[in-house]
């Protein structure tokens, strides 16, 4: 459903994303990993239209979307979360999500938007109370709100940027389950950026690794976890845990 | 070295800490763990003076921190790496580091400290003229730690330093904590990454809903049922 | 019930216009009103209610409406800026109340408006402009040695109501006289820089500059003119800033000498021999009172006299007639009394006479006998040099050799 | 949704307002009331975008266009204000689009936006002054008196008529305010004012939403300018298009309360009444003191009632917004 | 064609140079504002009114008390510096956490206060220092000494401020403070002190401008209106907080006014300058010197 080829992003003289090509299939969860500053969020920004690519093509459902403004892309069905949550603090939690529901789905009906908001909030486990304020949300709550906003836009492809950062382990597991549910129940395709390998490897179907803006590896979790280059630039001594997690995932999938 | 007795603190009418007692001895590395919203960050803030306790005593080497204006607390040797980095996004990396050495006591050693920090994080040296706000999450974390190191502190407060970092870098950070500690610095570190953090600290506190639930050496904590059940959510 | 006339008086006591001359006009009017408050008029007590228009037209409107409708004054008097007189006159007319303007010289105030209740004894702005042009036209050959068609003149003005109106008079006059107008330009009185204008003047090489402005911009223009080395034969000012010699002197020192200024004659300069004998004591009284308020002023500004004289005409001529002949101080009586006014030349402190254009004429309400004079500042004194009938000395024209701006 | 009680309160209030000029006839006070209503409408129009962080100092320009275009069309072409006003509103709207589109497209926000709009009102002021052959320049401009039908020319001598017109216009402004407040567009604009990227990522067409509200606000402001001109029968560049006017709008809206519908109205009442009372109170006895006190009071209001007078009062009355349980 | 040639005469050169000199005046004015508005992100709408008070200070010291110009100047600078500090302490400090629009308005209120204070205290008269500096003549062209002085002061001031802001710790702290005020305490920075230093410095620069402007302009309570808006536009055109940009922008603006005034009407010169500003905002929103993103 998504086909990216030759994607490049330069900031001044610095190339943050360098000639990256990949594809994502319907119903898949693709893990996107790589060292800090390797260009993951930048790719998300280009996919969602927040940044215009310097060059390259992004085909989504057969249409070229590279360089379209964000609202057009969202209306075509790509939803995203931000790595650092960006809630609208002057709106209530419900309004935050209803807003995304209304505009993200092409401004059709307010009723539909509010239904979508209720569904999404319930899905991520936030209260559907219409007056609850964002100020009361902790780190985990804000991450959930990001997800709920993205879901309310009724995406077919969800870009989740570090949905687990700063969560405690209990909540991390919950969140991972949530992502999987989103795929399983709603049939939403997901690209997931995360640094917590123990969780990521258990959930994703496929992994792509970036370094210095270039793709250095791609494949099944177990294969990537064993790739010496990935271990060197990214996993380090975490490699064992990662491989264990990948192995467990394969076992579960197989069984 | 650092001593908290019966500290209450909060935000407006909301109380986040309830009678917290905590000790850090010189040269020690101490961890603080606990679920989201437990009050860990609040604890760090109350030590570095960003918020004021509503009750209780805080002492650093016998100096009463409660009576010290917050901008003077740094010169007592406490450096705080805040949650979410809090860099100055429109300043270059260099200028951010410079801000870390703002105190009179630190200005003289600016050049030396800069060397130390660049040694720790060569990436920062490469990017010294980039605006901090445009760097990746991990680079920003390095910059934040570097900035705190610039003041040549005795006690380093680290609030979730590994959040958002790539596994290799997380390793590095924990290595770094070890090294910092080995160099004689005292470290108080808040982490979600319990397994990892307990490997590098001597002792740890478990905080939950604003109160200290358990404390002990790393080994004790790893073994403790309270920790497992309350925190690891098994 | 006691008989009383209540007069609402509106001037600008704050804001840029206050310093531009409005406050001086206010002082003049107040001296006269205070005087009549003591004596009363034909058994009527005189009470004045003052208001500050703050140099803003909308406040002038509000204050006038308030005075008329809230304070129940019988009439309004005063006003300095034409930008205020235009709307206030329309309002007053609509309310059928009586208005007596002491300054507001723009011709636009009356032009074809057909007012019935609004009167102005003062000369209009284009008359100012034409007066100076006329003076130059009459002296071009003799003093400047040029045929009018060879005379290069520049007309510059601040772009407010006042400057624009005067410049129209300048332009019309220049056309009639057949001058070669080499530059005509307006500028904002708050402009921080006039050097481009000075450069253009240098390029245009005018023999005579006709200028209308307030003190800050006059100082700035002449200062920049000096610094950039602008030379010319004569500078003709037109009231407002040029009417306040003190300020010219402060800003320009000796260079203020030989500047011409068109204004109603300063009452202290008016030819007292040809004047109605009951006026000189009033002039002296105004002078004494003014000195009490503002001690140590070398040349009393014409604005004071304008305020005083024009108020005096109303109090001593129109008002008594309204009471005696038309039985009161209602707008109708005042209007009829004003239309009856017939003061010959020499009958006012400013020298001119008063007779208003009647209803149905284009300038209805305007004094047809008023005229300004041209004075020249020489050695810290101001002397009338034009028209001939009033002239006290011969004009120094062109600027003598050796003076800063002289093009000789 | 409006509660029964509030609806009733609005109803009674309105009835009282409509009845007022038939009971109370002091012309000067009515004059001030008409001015307050017209300005309230102008301030409400400003706050329409101001409340979303789109602080414009260019609204003086829109007001000037409303007033001058209407009056010029009437005087030169004899076009009735009934046609002239819509044309002037279209003109103001066009200008708003011309300046707004690039501003929003290129993400000109905050201080930058404030200053671009400041320059805009500067330009309109200068242009009106410099084209004095048509506009009368700083001498001001007066619509010609209608010879015949006052209704056609929108000219009335009667204060009561004007009071009712101004009241209707003001009410229209309040209704539009509520309409925006309850629309989805409000969510979008609040979101935009906090974080444009995040709003865009939620599907909001940032440029379009901002343009729409700017257009609405500019067009309404032009209407206010035109009505002001028809009432006063006189305009000068300084009273309708100067930077001072723009500042005055911001002042009143903030002092009254930017985030409540009646805030700008309260702001208008307070600033106008205060200025009037102080000016009349001090009279010519203490020249200049009224503005001094006025300025000091403004500063104090802003420091001590940062949410505006009405906003702060309502805050006290209302229970705190519910804070959700920590999740 | 002839008209075209006519334009390129000595007067054009004079206009260009006068534009540069006016640029000096504007640059001097913009310098302090850039520090306050551009760097610590506090809007002093009343900045030009501080200059006005400074001009009155100069006037009274020199004219009334007969103090020599060179003694009065530092006193004035000190006076306005104190005024700047007071402005911060009394008006801005309570509003630091409020939305920026409230700061803008509060200082707008101060603008009223200062104007009417000047009216009440000094009267409505236009006042002039009456110092007449000699003229510099080069053949047919003449230039203002006072303006040259402003130009030099602006240049020196700009270099000093630039060095101060980039080279010193305090300067860095000043640049940092608008970005994250809360966290400054962790750096050992007393935010109140930094704000006071900056406000006083901003005030002092306004005072410096006052000392030089009083040589060229009449003082009156509304003199600030002549400069206020233009100064703000210059700061933004140059890029907020960018001192070199602000310096250059002042000259660009001045040239437009000067040449626009020469080729067309003076009034249209200003319209042109404002329009240029708006257009530039679209082309280079982050200031003249900023690289386009
Ligand atoms: N600025 C604030 N205002 C009001 N309440 C706050 C504020 N910051 C934190 N809180 C509340 O105080 C409590 C403790 O927060 P704190 O940030 O100390 O938790 P934490 O242990 O650091 O959590 P996390 O692991 O998510 O960082 C939480 O309930 C939080 O909602
Ligand atoms: N606006 C910008 N200007 C200049 N450089 C930028 C900009 N945005 C991002 N970069 C640089 O591009 C690189 C990639 O950044 P990106 O945020 O995509 O990293 P990331 O892979 O998401 O890292 P992390 O895991 O730490 O979030 C980084 O080196 C960053 O400094
Ligand atoms: Mg990232
Ligand atoms: Mg925390």
């Amino acid at each position: 459903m998504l086909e990216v080829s030759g994607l490049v992003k330069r900031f001044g003289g610095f190339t943050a994303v360098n000639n990256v090509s990949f594809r994502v299939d319907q119903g898949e969860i693709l893990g996107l990993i790589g060292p800090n500053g390797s260009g993951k969020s930048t790719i998300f920004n280009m996919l969602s239209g927040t940044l215009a690519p310097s060059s390259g093509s992004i085909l989504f459902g057969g249409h070229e979307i590279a360089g379209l403004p964000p609202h057009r892309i969202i209306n075509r069905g790509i939803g995203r979360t931000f790595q650092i949550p960006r809630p609208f603090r002057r709106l209530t939690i419900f309004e935050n999500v209803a807003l995304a529901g209304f505009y993200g789905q092409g401004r059709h009906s307010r009723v539909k938007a509010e239904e979508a908001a209720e569904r999404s909030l319930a899905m991520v486990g936030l209260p559907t109370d219409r007056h609850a304020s964002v100020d009361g949300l902790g780190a985990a709550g804000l991450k959930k709100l990001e997800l709920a906003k993205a879901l309310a836009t009724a995406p077919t492809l969800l870009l989740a940027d570090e949905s687990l950062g700063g969560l405690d382990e209990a909540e991390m597991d919950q969140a991972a389950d949530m992502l999987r549910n989103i795929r399983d129940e709603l049939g939403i395709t997901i690209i997931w950026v995360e640094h917590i390998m123990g969780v990521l490897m258990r959930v994703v179907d496929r992994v792509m690794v970036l370094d210095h803006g270039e793709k250095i590896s791609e494949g099944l979790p177990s294969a990537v976890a064993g790739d010496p280059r990935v271990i060197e630039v990214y996993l380090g001594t975490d490699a064992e845990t990662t491989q264990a997690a990948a192995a467990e995932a394969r076992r579960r999938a197989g069984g | 070295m650092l001593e908290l007795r019966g500290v209450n603190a909060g935000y407006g009418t909301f109380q986040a800490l309830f009678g917290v007692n905590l000790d850090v001895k010189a040269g020690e590395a101490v961890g603080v763990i606990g679920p989201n919203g437990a009050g860990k960050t609040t604890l760090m803030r109350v030590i570095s003076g960003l918020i004021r306790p509503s009750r209780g005593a805080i002492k650093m080497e016998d100096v009463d921190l409660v009576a010290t204006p917050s901008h003077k607390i740094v010169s007592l040797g406490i450096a705080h790496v805040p949650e979410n980095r809090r860099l100055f996004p429109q300043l270059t990396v260099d200028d951010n580091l410079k801000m870390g050495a703002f105190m009179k006591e630190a200005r003289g050693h600016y050049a030396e400290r800069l060397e130390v920090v660049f040694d720790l994080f060569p990436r920062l040296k490469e990017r010294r003229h980039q605006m901090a706000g445009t760097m990746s999450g991990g680079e920003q974390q390095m910059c934040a730690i570097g900035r705190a190191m610039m003041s040549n502190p005795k006690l380093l407060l680290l609030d979730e330093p590994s959040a958002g970092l790539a596994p290799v870098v997380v390793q590095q950070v924990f290595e770094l904590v070890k090294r910092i500690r080995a160099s004689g610095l005292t470290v108080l570190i808040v982490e979600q990454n319990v397994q990892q953090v307990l490997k590098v600290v001597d002792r740890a506190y478990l905080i939950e809903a604003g109160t200290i639930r358990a404390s002990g050496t790393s080994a004790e904590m790893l073994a403790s049922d309270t920790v497992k059940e309350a925190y690891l959510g098994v | 019930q006691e008989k009383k006339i209540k007069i609402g008086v509106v001037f600008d006591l704050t804001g840029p216009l206050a310093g531009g001359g409005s406050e001086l006009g206010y002082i003049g009017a107040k001296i006269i009103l205070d005087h009549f408050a003591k004596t009363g008029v034909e058994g009527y007590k005189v009470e004045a209610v003052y208001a500050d228009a703050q140099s803003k037209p909308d406040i002038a409107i509000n204050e006038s409406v308030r005075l008329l409708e809230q304070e129940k004054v019988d009439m309004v008097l005063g006003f300095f800026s034409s930008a205020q007189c235009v709307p206030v006159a329309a309002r007053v007319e609509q309310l059928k109340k009586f208005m007596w303007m002491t300054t507001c010289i723009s011709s636009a105030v009356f032009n074809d408006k057909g007012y019935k209740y609004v009167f102005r004894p003062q000369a209009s702005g284009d008359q100012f402009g034409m007066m100076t042009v006329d003076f130059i036209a009459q002296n071009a050959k003799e003093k400047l040695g040029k045929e009018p068609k060879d005379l290069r003149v520049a007309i510059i003005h601040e772009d407010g109501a006042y400057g624009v109106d005067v410049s129209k008079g300048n332009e019309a006059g220049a056309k009639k006289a057949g001058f070669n107008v080499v530059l005509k330009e307006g500028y904002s009185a708050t402009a921080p820089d006039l050097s481009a204008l000075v450069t253009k003047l240098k390029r245009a090489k005018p023999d005579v500059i006709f200028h209308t402005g307030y003190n800050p911009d006059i100082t700035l223009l002449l200062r920049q003119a000096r610094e950039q080395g602008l030379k010319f034969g004569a500078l003709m000012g037109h009231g407002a800033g040029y009417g306040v010699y003190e300020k010219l002197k402060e800003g320009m020192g000796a260079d203020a000498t030989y500047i011409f200024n068109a204004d109603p004659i300063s009452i202290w300069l008016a030819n007292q021999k040809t004047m109605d004998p009951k006026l000189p004591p009033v002039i002296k009284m105004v002078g004494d009172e003014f000195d009490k308020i503002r001690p140590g002023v070398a040349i009393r500004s014409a604005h004071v006299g304008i305020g005083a004289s024009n108020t005096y005409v109303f109090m001593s001529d129109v008002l008594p007639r309204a009471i005696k002949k038309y039985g009161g101080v209602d707008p109708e009586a005042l209007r009829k009394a004003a239309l009856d006014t017939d003061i010959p030349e020499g009958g006012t402190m400013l020298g001119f006479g008063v007779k208003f254009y009647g209803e149905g004429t284009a300038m209805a309400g305007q004094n047809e006998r008023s005229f300004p004079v041209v004075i020249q500042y020489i050695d810290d004194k101001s002397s009338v040099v034009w028209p001939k009938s009033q002239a006290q000395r011969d004009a120094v024209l062109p600027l003598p050799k050796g003076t800063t701006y002289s093009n000789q | 949704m409006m509660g029964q009680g509030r609806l009733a309160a609005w109803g009674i209030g309105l009835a009282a307002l409509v009845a007022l000029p038939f009971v109370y006839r002091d012309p000067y006070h009515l004059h001030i009331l008409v001015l307050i209503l017209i300005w309230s409408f102008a301030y409400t129009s400003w706050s329409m975008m101001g409340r979303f962080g789109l602080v414009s100092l260019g609204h003086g320009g829109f007001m000037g266009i409303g007033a001058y275009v209407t009056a010029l069309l009437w005087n030169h072409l004899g076009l009735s204000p009934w046609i002239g006003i819509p044309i002037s509103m279209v003109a103001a709207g066009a200008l708003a689009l011309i300046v707004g589109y690039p501003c929003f497209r290129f993400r000109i926000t905050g201080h930058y936006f404030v200053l671009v709009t400041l320059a805009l009102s500067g330009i309109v002021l200068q242009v009106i002054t410099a084209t004095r052959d048509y506009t009368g320049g700083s001498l001001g401009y007066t619509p010609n008196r209608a010879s015949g039908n006052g209704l056609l020319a929108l000219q009335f001598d009667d204060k009561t008529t004007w009071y009712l017109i101004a009241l209707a216009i003001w009410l229209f402004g309040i209704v539009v305010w509520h309409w925006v407040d309850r629309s989805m567009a409000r969510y979008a604009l609040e979101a935009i004012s906090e974080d444009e990227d995040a709003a865009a990522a939620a599907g909001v067409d940032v440029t379009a939403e901002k343009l729409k509200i700017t257009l609405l606000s500019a067009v309404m402001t032009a209407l206010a300018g035109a009505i002001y001109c028809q009432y006063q029968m006189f305009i000068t560049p300084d009273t309708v298009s100067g930077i001072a006017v723009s500042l005055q709008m911001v002042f009143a809206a903030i002092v009254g309360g930017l985030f409540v519908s009646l805030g700008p109205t309260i702001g208008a009442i307070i600033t106008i009444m205060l200025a009037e009372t102080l000016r009349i109170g001090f009279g010519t006895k203490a020249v200049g003191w009224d503005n001094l006190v006025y300025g000091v009071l403004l500063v104090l209001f802003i420091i001590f009632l940062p949410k505006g007078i009405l906003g702060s009062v309502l805050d006290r009355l209302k229970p705190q917004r519910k804070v959700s349980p920590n999740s | 064609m002839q008209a075209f040639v006519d334009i390129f005469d000595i007067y054009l050169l004079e206009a260009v140079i006068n534009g540069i000199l006016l640029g000096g005046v504007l640059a001097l004015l913009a310098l302090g504002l850039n520090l306050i508005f551009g760097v610590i992100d506090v809007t002093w709408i009343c900045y030009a009114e501080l200059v006005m008070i400074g001009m009155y200070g100069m006037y009274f010291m020199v004219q009334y008390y007969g103090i020599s110009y060179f003694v009065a100047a530092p006193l004035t600078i000190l006076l306005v510096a104190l005024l700047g500090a007071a402005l911060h302490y009394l008006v801005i400090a309570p509003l630091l956490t409020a939305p920026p629009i409230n700061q803008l308005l509060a200082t707008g209120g101060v603008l009223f206060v200062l104007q009417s204070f000047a009216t009440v205290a000094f009267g409505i008269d236009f006042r002039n220092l009456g110092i007449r500096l000699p003229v510099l003549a080069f053949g047919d062209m003449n230039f203002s000494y006072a303006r040259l002085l402003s130009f030099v002061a602006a240049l020196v001031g700009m270099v000093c401020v630039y060095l101060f802001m980039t080279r010193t710790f305090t300067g860095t702290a000043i640049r940092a403070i608008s970005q994250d005020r809360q966290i400054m305490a962790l750096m050992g920075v007393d935010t109140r002190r930094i704000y006071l230093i900056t406000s006083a410095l901003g005030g002092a620069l306004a005072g410096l401008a006052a000392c030089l402007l009083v040589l060229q302009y009449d003082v009156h309570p509304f003199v600030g209106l002549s400069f206020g808006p233009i100064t703000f536009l210059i700061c933004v055109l140059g890029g907020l907080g960018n001192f070199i940009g602000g310096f250059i922008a002042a000259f660009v603006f001045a040239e437009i006014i000067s040449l626009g005034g020469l080729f067309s009407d003076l009034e249209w010169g200003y319209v042109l300058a404002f329009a240029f500003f708006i257009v530039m905002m679209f082309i280079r929103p982050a200031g003249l010197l900023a690289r386009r993103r």
Side-chain angles (χ1 to χ4, degrees), chain E residues 125-280:
Chain E
D125 282 347
F126 306 116
R127 295 169 192 270
N128 193 295
L129 200 53
I131 293 183
R132 290 148 45 85
L133 296 175
V135 175
L136 289 173
F138 297 98
D140 232 9
M141 294 187 294
N142 298 270
F143 304 105
S144 157
Y145 207 69
R147 291 222 153 157
L148 224 53
L149 222 59
S150 309
F151 181 85
V152 172
L155 191 67
V156 172
M158 193 266 299
V159 170
C160 290
V161 172
Y162 180 79
L163 290 179
F164 171 72
M165 293 302 291
T166 50
R167 297 293 152 85
T168 66
F169 282 88
T170 310
T172 312
I174 292 175
R175 283 186 292 140
I177 202 163
S178 66
Q179 302 177 28
D180 197 335
R181 189 167 35 239
Q182 265 186 329
I183 233 67
M184 294 298 278
L186 293 186
M187 314 287 123
V189 180
D190 183 355
T191 48
R192 272 178 321 174
R193 212 177 124 249
I194 295 292
Y195 274 120
L196 274 181
I197 291 177
T198 318
S199 315
L201 195 59
L205 288 169
L208 176 66
C211 295
L212 292 162
L213 289 195
V214 80
L215 292 173
Q216 304 168 54
Y217 297 98
D218 274 13
V219 197
H220 55 104
F222 302 94
V223 68
L225 296 179
S226 302
F227 303 106
I230 270 198
T231 313
F232 270 92
L233 299 189
I234 286 171
C235 284
V236 172
L237 188 62
L240 282 181
N242 185 337
F243 291 94
I244 301 173
F247 193 73
I248 294 173
F251 292 97
V252 173
F253 239 81
E255 285 301 342
I256 293 179
I257 292 174
S258 193
L259 292 179
L262 186 70
F263 288 130
S264 137
D265 272 7
L266 217 54
E267 290 166 315
W268 291 105
Y270 286 89
V271 173
L272 210 66
F274 282 5
F276 172 79
F277 169 81
I278 294 185
V279 171
M280 279 316 282

Side-chain angles (χ1 to χ4, degrees), chain B residues 37 47 53 65 68-69 81 105 108 118 123 141 173 177 189 200-201 203 211 224 227 229:
Chain B
I47 295 172
L65 291 190
T68 313
V81 180
E105 295 87 334
F118 283 158
R123 174 64 70 90
Q141 187 64 274
V173 168
V177 174
I189 177 170
V200 296
V201 297
R203 290 189 300 118
T211 48
S224 151
V227 176
E229 147 205 345

Side-chain angles (χ1 to χ4, degrees), chain A residues 40-42 83 161-162 193, chain B residues 136-137:
Chain A
K40 304 181 295 295
S41 298
T42 306
Q83 180 170 0
D161 199 350
E162 299 207 23
V193 167
Chain B
S136 83

Side-chain angles (χ1 to χ4, degrees), chain A residues 136-139 166, chain B residues 11 14 16 34-43 45 83 159-160 192, chain D residues 326:
Chain A
L137 293 178
Chain B
Y11 305 89
F14 177 82
N36 287 131
K40 305 182 295 294
T41 297
T42 311
L43 176 69
R45 288 187 182 150
E83 195 174 38
D159 196 345
E160 304 208 18
Q192 294 288 8
Chain D
N326 209 343

